[in-house]
Amino acid sequence: MSRSKARKAWQGRSLRQQLEARGVYIRSRSDKGLAEEAGGAYKQIDDVVEATRLAGISKPVVRLRPIGNVKG
Amino acid sequence: MAISEHLQRISDTLRELPPRYKDGMRVPARIYATDKLLAGMDETVLQQISNVAGLPGLTEAALCMPDGHFGYGFPIGGVAAMDVDQGGVISPGGIGFDINCGMRLVRTNLTHDEVRPYLHRPADRLFERVPAGVGGTGLIKMSRREFADVCERGAHWCVEQGLGWEEDLLVTEEGGKPSSAPPTAAAGR
């Protein structure tokens, strides 16, 4: 999905509420900008990591979880 | 015939678009993806990586990573290695025009519980100090000559200006000063 589609598909404001409900601290210049980076705009990270592992081009070592998000 | 039908299965996680797929391709385009990820990949991504395969000096193949998605010229997640002795080029499109847009991983001994109550402090500071978004501008204004100086000496310039520490240079690629990259080799614009 392209960034512009992501922008349409996810309302920045509800995204902010979702993230804050999960304890993620957010600083963003606009809700629209925040919406560009909506998790749903990306592929499932587990699928991507598993594919790189199976292909032998990476080795998972640690899982990071966001606690803060700063976005232009 | 859809482009995806030209894909040859190399393994469970690797597909290949052979150079005969279209005129101009010099090397194969290879896509790392499982069936599931491939199914979710837009055809435009495959078109973009096959276009990359037409760049001069490319070694072996144009690659697309499993998170590949539509970009500006290159797909995001596209990888290409160029051999300068084989006519290779530097393609700004290959990094989506945001040079040095990258990842930083800084390790700390602080635990999540220790950081949590103060998280707003570094986040707010980053938000204030790091220019971001369309129209964002930096804190430093400089002349063309000064800019050439920065290009030449890289992160060393920053340290001299008090914008970084000596230790930062130790953990920066090429000591924060890329060799064989004279700014005079670039056009004025």
Side-chain angles (χ1 to χ4, degrees):
Chain A
M1 178 179 286
S2 71
R3 288 188 162 198
S4 56
K5 281 184 190 164
R7 209 176 299 152
K8 285 176 195 149
W10 278 272
Q11 293 292 328
R13 199 156 301 169
S14 68
L15 175 68
R16 175 185 293 271
Q17 287 163 358
Q18 281 171 35
L19 290 173
E20 284 175 345
R22 282 162 56 182
V24 179
Y25 181 76
I26 294 168
R27 286 303 308 266
S28 175
R29 290 192 201 280
S30 70
D31 285 340
K32 197 172 128 195
L34 185 68
E36 275 188 358
E37 306 297 331
Y42 293 83
K43 293 181 172 62
Q44 286 293 320
I45 188 67
D46 290 322
D47 291 344
V48 172
V49 169
E50 182 62 1
T52 58
R53 188 188 68 80
L54 287 171
I57 55 176
S58 80
K59 190 175 84 176
V61 290
V62 67
R63 176 186 289 271
L64 301 175
R65 272 188 299 134
I67 57 172
N69 187 323
V70 176
K71 176 77 177 76
Chain B
M1 189 163 154
I3 186 170
S4 53
E5 292 169 46
H6 292 270
L7 285 177
Q8 293 172 0
R9 190 187 189 91
I10 307 292
S11 76
D12 285 350
T13 51
L14 186 61
R15 308 304 144 100
E16 182 172 294
L17 206 53
R20 65 171 180 279
Y21 164 65
K22 71 176 178 190
D23 288 344
M25 280 178 74
R26 298 160 190 253
V27 292
R30 294 192 186 128
I31 296 104
Y32 285 98
T34 55
D35 288 334
K36 184 182 175 187
L37 287 169
L38 198 66
M41 221 175 250
D42 205 89
E43 297 247 319
T44 53
V45 178
L46 304 179
Q47 286 294 357
Q48 287 191 321
I49 198 64
S50 68
N51 293 341
V52 172
L55 288 173
L58 215 67
T59 59
E60 206 172 323
L63 308 176
C64 181
M65 296 297 111
D67 59 340
H69 51 279
F70 186 68
Y72 309 97
F74 271 53
I76 316 296
V79 178
M82 322 281 187
D83 186 341
V84 73
D85 294 328
Q86 300 295 319
V89 295
I90 292 174
S91 169
I95 40 84
F97 303 99
D98 34 11
I99 291 174
N100 206 21
C101 160
M103 310 278 292
R104 297 291 184 276
L105 178 66
V106 182
R107 249 182 96 172
T108 168
N109 292 330
L110 297 170
T111 65
H112 174 254
D113 288 344
E114 286 168 337
V115 169
R116 186 90 245 172
Y118 306 103
L119 181 61
H120 61 281
R121 291 192 190 170
D124 291 352
R125 182 61 68 90
L126 285 168
F127 185 71
E128 284 163 21
R129 295 285 177 90
V130 180
V134 176
T137 54
L139 298 169
I140 302 165
K141 301 276 174 273
M142 61 178 60
S143 67
R144 188 169 285 255
R145 179 178 292 191
E146 284 172 307
F147 182 69
D149 197 28
V150 176
C151 293
E152 193 91 43
R153 293 189 294 125
H156 292 256
W157 182 90
C158 300
V159 171
E160 282 163 28
Q161 301 291 316
L163 299 168
W165 292 322
E166 287 286 339
E167 296 93 306
D168 295 332
L169 303 176
L170 298 175
V171 291
T172 306
E173 191 177 349
E174 290 196 60
K177 184 181 170 181
S179 55
S180 67
T184 47
R189 300 187 55 179

